[in-house]
Amino acid sequence: MKTPKRVHYFGKTKTEGSKEMKELLGGKGANLAEMTSIGLPVPPGFTIDTKSCADYNEMGGVLPEGLMDEVRENMGIVEQEIGKRFGAEDDPLLVSVRSGAAVSMPGMMDTVLNLGLTDKAVEGLARISGNRRFALDAYRRLINMFGDVVMGVHHEKFEAEFDRVKSEFGVVLDTELNESGLEKLIDAYKSVYRQGTGEDFPQEPYLQLEKSIEAVFKSWNIPRAVRYRQINEITGLLGTAVNVQTMVFGNMGEDSGTGVAFTRDPSTGLNKFYGEFLINAQGEDVVAGIRTPQPVEEMVTWRPEIYEQLLEIKNILENHYREMQDIEYTIERGTLFLLQTRTGKRTGPAAVKIAVDMVTEGRITEKEALLRVPANDLNQLLLPTFAPAAKRDILTRGLPASPGAASGMLSFTAEDAVDRAHAGESVLLVRKETSPEDVSGMHSAEGILTSTGGMTSHAAVVARGWGKCCVAGAGEIVIDEAKRVITVGGRTFGERDVVSIDGSTGEVMAGEVQKQAPKLSEEFVSLMSWADQHRTLRVRTNADTPEDAARAREYGAEGIGLCRTEHMFFEGERIVGMREMILAETEEARRAALAKLLPTQREDFKGIFTAMQGLPVTVRLLDPPLHEFLPHDDQQQAELAERLGVSPEKIKARVTQLHEANPMLGHRGCRLSITYPEILEMQVTAITEAAIECRLAQIDARPEIMIPLVGIDKELDILRQRAESTIALTARERGYQELLEIPIGTMIEVPRAALTAEKIAEHADFFSFGTNDLTQMTFGYSRDDVNNFLPDYIRQELLEKDPFQSLDTAGVGCLVEMAVAAGRRTNEDMKMGICGEHGGDPASIEFCQKAGLNYVSCSPFRIPVARLGAAQAVVK
Amino acid sequence: MKTPKRVHYFGKTKTEGSKEMKELLGGKGANLAEMTSIGLPVPPGFTIDTKSCADYNEMGGVLPEGLMDEVRENMGIVEQEIGKRFGAEDDPLLVSVRSGAAVSMPGMMDTVLNLGLTDKAVEGLARISGNRRFALDAYRRLINMFGDVVMGVHHEKFEAEFDRVKSEFGVVLDTELNESGLEKLIDAYKSVYRQGTGEDFPQEPYLQLEKSIEAVFKSWNIPRAVRYRQINEITGLLGTAVNVQTMVFGNMGEDSGTGVAFTRDPSTGLNKFYGEFLINAQGEDVVAGIRTPQPVEEMVTWRPEIYEQLLEIKNILENHYREMQDIEYTIERGTLFLLQTRTGKRTGPAAVKIAVDMVTEGRITEKEALLRVPANDLNQLLLPTFAPAAKRDILTRGLPASPGAASGMLSFTAEDAVDRAHAGESVLLVRKETSPEDVSGMHSAEGILTSTGGMTSHAAVVARGWGKCCVAGAGEIVIDEAKRVITVGGRTFGERDVVSIDGSTGEVMAGEVQKQAPKLSEEFVSLMSWADQHRTLRVRTNADTPEDAARAREYGAEGIGLCRTEHMFFEGERIVGMREMILAETEEARRAALAKLLPTQREDFKGIFTAMQGLPVTVRLLDPPLHEFLPHDDQQQAELAERLGVSPEKIKARVTQLHEANPMLGHRGCRLSITYPEILEMQVTAITEAAIECRLAQIDARPEIMIPLVGIDKELDILRQRAESTIALTARERGYQELLEIPIGTMIEVPRAALTAEKIAEHADFFSFGTNDLTQMTFGYSRDDVNNFLPDYIRQELLEKDPFQSLDTAGVGCLVEMAVAAGRRTNEDMKMGICGEHGGDPASIEFCQKAGLNYVSCSPFRIPVARLGAAQAVVK
């Protein structure tokens, strides 16, 4: 049996990969091959494929047979091309080893540089480079990286030695350490290595290489990598590829440098070359945010010809990839090398602008543009910004690393941010710089503020990927992590102080700053119009005030899919009327209390129908258990008692009587209307009267009545009849003669409703899937309690995603599909939609499209997401 | 179009019905026809079919066209046969109108007698009978019954007039009123009638008849009839038939009489003619319990030839019907007439004895015998009786109307009995006599005690039908309903006093009397052995103590289908260990606390495995949320704090932390084992150690491990692996070398588990449907809260039955069927069972049979019910 090819070469001699081979070669490897093919200056090397990583991990950590032979063979080609030998004592070929999966995961994977250096080769490098300090520095970096990343010796142990040697030599900066200092440091590092691993630092180049390759394979399954994939919902990958590539050095002196760049502005999408560079530095120095780099435009003053070359490369790349690229480059003694290109991460607004601009530029089609914008990212366009007129107490200004507006109390560690966010606090994560260990905390925080690092630092890249607000490199801020305070301009802020950051300006402000709704760009409008042309799903909104309805309409809502009525009973005086109704002991008293609520309820509906005129408004009848409306503490009960002129004991008794062990599964939804028909009658009367009054005022009100929590066909049968009689009676009483068609439908949110949908459909004009409750009951998860175990479930990969955020297609989805099929058997043309929070989740929308629903309904801010998601579901 | 035939004649001229036509003619009508056919002395008449009732009610209360013409036609045949004319002034033919549905509903339907009497006809009857008093009495009965039953004039208004007239004439008993008294009474009744209806009592016989027929049709839908059908789970009937039959009179003098009888003893099943009669009385007098009748044997001293004739009829009927019969008869001036025969209601023990005896007598087959005993009735054979040695403080003795032993606080009205039973009290319903209005209260009470009425009074018949303990006709008891006390032998008992009744002896005793388990009859053993031969479903038990296991085994359990482990942690000291575990803050501390619980848990299992040796024992791992084990009140928390040496605040904090909004849908079941694997490990270790220790002692322990609340296949995957490693580790540590196969399976009790059963089956050796939780989640009903609305649902016929008592086949059953099919796709031979309370419900067992399950599991006392139910599911 022939062993499969595992190593793929790229270089002048031959190039075996291409950008289509991402699955196998990872993004980085595929693009190194692609760039080589199209003639860009890429240092030669080879890629070990992702299959090998999968095999390695499957076999429990054994390198696939023959792999190292293939590696040596390919290294031979590199050696021939470059004219150096790997780790040779005279003029060593050095290589880097980098991971690269099919999907980019910035900072999550480990890199080892300068492989091939040994005690002897370092002197060869010193000779040939004419820069012994550089060679020694490269060697100490290797020992440190290899010890830390490959062998698991703690980085801080190396750092401690560095500090010790620097102080011994009386210097402060790393770069100030001279050759003999570096010699000492290398010895010290070797001791650290020996202590940490029990063996000497390997002097055999291929042993260094083999161990590094293994380390990359292993890093695929370290917790932070797993966690990153979870947060970003990355699944289905084999593993990571390993890229072995000739080293080029940006730190060979003042004629060398390194940088990163985007072919367009990743923050705004402007078509302008955008990046940073550091002179005399290695790539890691830029990304890690240790030194703050210069904007790439400033390269004109340093090496104009290289800047020109970069602009040319920008064009070549965009023409070739038809996508905005994120590149890494190094200038070694005046020669430019490209080390990486990949699709650039960008903010939501940038994604929209780039996609639409590329259509205008003729690079891509409208359909492609629709797929270029992750639907969820549209959220960012709708996030509030700070109001221009708001007072800003500006403390300092950092880099506008990821747009948005965030306010929160200061949090100084990732763990703290996670805990406090979980406890419901809004926090701002403040770090000198962030690292992959911080991702959970960054995810939990409202925003991220760092005091060092640039636009392409870890914090900035990760935050932009999520659309989370970030201000980076705010160097005037002094962070005292131990004392948990920051000091800036002589002012001190602690854990309970609120600070605001503006990710679009870089401003850092004291206190909470007033926010405002965002303005929508032209490009956004174009993209949405394309989405509307392609999608077949209607998009409605969940709204229960005229204001929300109007906002949703502005965002493109085509009706209200869920107008909850319970919120209407909590406002001001209304709650008193509601409580009076609940405390009533006879139907008569209940009716009297309800009669008082009727006018306000009617006015609410009029407002909503008016805001939505010409579009359907699905009103859900009262859903929550009655005890939610009663006060539970003594004082409030006493106040209510006085107000209603009854004894506090009576109120306490009623509260106790209404208490339920599992209110979620209790006396709520349509069950209330079965026992208290007068509640339904009041609500239906209010809806009908509102509709009549609107129509008389020439407002095209289109109410629909939705009966919640139906589980038995007869429930809907009876309640529908009751609602129909109430509508007819109300119209008669109002002397309204015109046709008043008010469709009556039901939520499908109880598993039994889905299972018996064929019979329920006999009494329903429409089905609306309440996937929140359906998820609760299908899984047996109380949404209020699920945090006791769901995080464990996600961590242990029992569940890929939180089923309350993204619809569980295997279980809940199965019920939805059954109900759609059953409902359509009874009534072929029945209108069906979804009104759980899944209605605004693109993956769930795709499911809805496949399941054959007619519409999704989501919160106003998710409307554009849903419109785009619906279009993508079709275009895909 | 020919109108359908609606009226069916029975008599000497022709007989158009037969006993097979119950659906159409009702039980009474079909049997009147059948008895006529086989030559028994039945007064001629005709039956209007149930279809006409359905049509009447469907058309909103209009008699079907042509019906009355058909009635007149048939009446003509009766007239010819009898030689009298209906309502004629000289010698009137009088008829009765009685309802009769396909299923017997004693006392629930209305009857009108003596139809055809008018002001003139009554004098004709007086002349021809030579007994004017009798004729007048018949007339006043007609006016009363017709007014009350047909026209809705309140019975008490007639009663009041009767009392007035009696006192005017200075008499006490009805029978003491002379002719002129009766004349006055008739006038008074006519006034009552006129006031109540606004019209005169009709003097046109056919008008009387027509209105009476309508009244019977209407009575099908009165609430008490609907309620009776619900309690008795009677569905699918068209309506009631109407029987119009020539009147015969048991009250024509001392040579007349009336009675009821059973062909065997309905209480014990003994093959002995069993009944009662009253001289000079109408049938209603016996059933209503107003006069206490004589045992039928005493007829020998009154009319020996009629007694002989009755015994002969007993044989004819049993030979013909091959079933125990319940007959009504009347003797008019020395001539015997049969007015009804029907299958006799009987107690559970009687049902078993009669069925088995009839097999012995060669009347029926074993299979028929299996179908003759309602499986649920076997419960009665297993009900405790009073211990013979128990002290009995006997107050008085009544009739042993329905066997059993009951104790409870006295309740004086049906409403009170319902309310207090609902509140959890055990009550004894005490009434002078019961009426159909009392059925709800009778159903709720532990037992029924009446001070008048015989063995065939309303109370006795209804109680026997349900297998509920009843002592009737305890005449020494004086009931003061207003004061809510009874007085007997100078002693007084009130609402809070406990009284016991023995339904087999008729004894009424003060206080609670000690009960004992029942002895099983030979016939029971025979019937069970036939059931075991026919059934294919295995029957296991739900038991979690060696005592319960042993009892269940005695009743025929073939293993334990559900051994709950949580109960094991509540006993005595164990709860302290459990609480210590829950309060532990580290895994280490939790393991330490669990280690203390391990030995007791192991001993529990050893006891159960020993009791069940040779049979499988399915142990369910810990299921309830942890907070159920913690004390919730301050004092208990303080005690626990002292006990464990921690602060009460800490305990309070942990209780608060563990509190859940919906514990039913919270952190419980296998979710506990995901977050606290050490709990699973302890339990599996205990099971394994117990199994090993049993086997070493030559006890064939057959444990199975059941993982509860699985909703995701990976849950089972992970937990199964953990359990398997624990079993292997324990066996190694114990040095046990033999094969130790412990099947590992799961509950299917979360809808998602049923929906994804195909994948879950990959990791399961068996499925056990936990239909209690599955019902909760499929309906979205919290069992703890469902009483807030479920009674309304049953009352309003939204649900036919309580889905927690009898499995909902449309919804929950659909999930079960899907899961069975899906599970078998993965593992064709997978063992599947049910362990919810439905496992002991015959209708649910029939479903389980159809669904292809392998076993049902139920509480020990339901085992015989399940065995018989399983056999019936096959034989049917």
Side-chain angles (χ1 to χ4, degrees), chain A residues 261-278:
Chain A
F262 292 88
T263 57
R264 306 200 179 202
D265 185 332
S267 189
T268 63
L270 273 176
N271 186 359
K272 133 176 200 263
F273 193 58
Y274 181 93
E276 297 164 329
F277 75 108
L278 274 173

Side-chain angles (χ1 to χ4, degrees), chain B residues 500-633:
Chain B
S500 297
I501 55 173
D502 186 330
S504 309
T505 64
E507 286 166 337
V508 180
M509 295 153 284
E512 182 118 28
V513 178
Q514 196 205 328
K515 299 191 180 76
Q516 71 169 15
K519 282 215 183 90
L520 300 175
S521 69
E522 248 173 67
E523 287 85 359
F524 172 82
V525 174
S526 298
L527 191 78
M528 285 295 103
S529 78
W530 301 338
D532 292 345
Q533 282 163 36
H534 285 95
R535 71 188 160 91
T536 57
L537 276 171
R538 304 275 91 188
V539 176
R540 295 198 191 180
T541 193
N542 301 348
D544 48 15
T545 64
E547 296 70 36
D548 278 359
R551 184 175 305 121
R553 194 164 189 165
E554 217 171 274
Y555 289 152
E558 295 164 296
I560 291 182
L562 174 61
C563 174
R564 299 180 178 93
T565 54
E566 45 273 23
H567 297 173
M568 299 177 187
F569 296 115
F570 279 107
E571 271 171 39
E573 275 308 288
R574 301 175 181 197
I575 187 74
V576 180
M578 189 65 184
R579 288 170 173 175
E580 202 177 317
M581 189 277 286
I582 296 168
L583 292 166
E585 279 170 351
T586 62
E587 188 188 318
E588 205 183 346
R590 240 183 339 264
R591 284 191 185 277
L594 284 164
K596 290 187 211 161
L597 291 169
L598 177 67
T600 52
Q601 178 101 120
R602 180 180 59 226
E603 293 312 305
D604 288 332
F605 290 133
K606 274 170 66 179
I608 293 167
F609 295 164
T610 305
M612 273 286 156
Q613 59 179 297
L615 295 175
V617 174
T618 308
V619 179
R620 178 177 74 181
L621 301 185
L622 196 69
D623 186 54
L626 297 183
H627 52 75
E628 283 196 9
F629 297 96
L630 292 182
H632 287 83
D633 62 88

Side-chain angles (χ1 to χ4, degrees), chain B residues 457-479:
Chain B
S457 63
H458 179 265
V461 171
V462 171
R464 273 202 301 276
W466 290 332
K468 190 165 292 257
C469 176
C470 175
V471 169
E476 290 180 56
I477 295 176
V478 178
I479 302 172

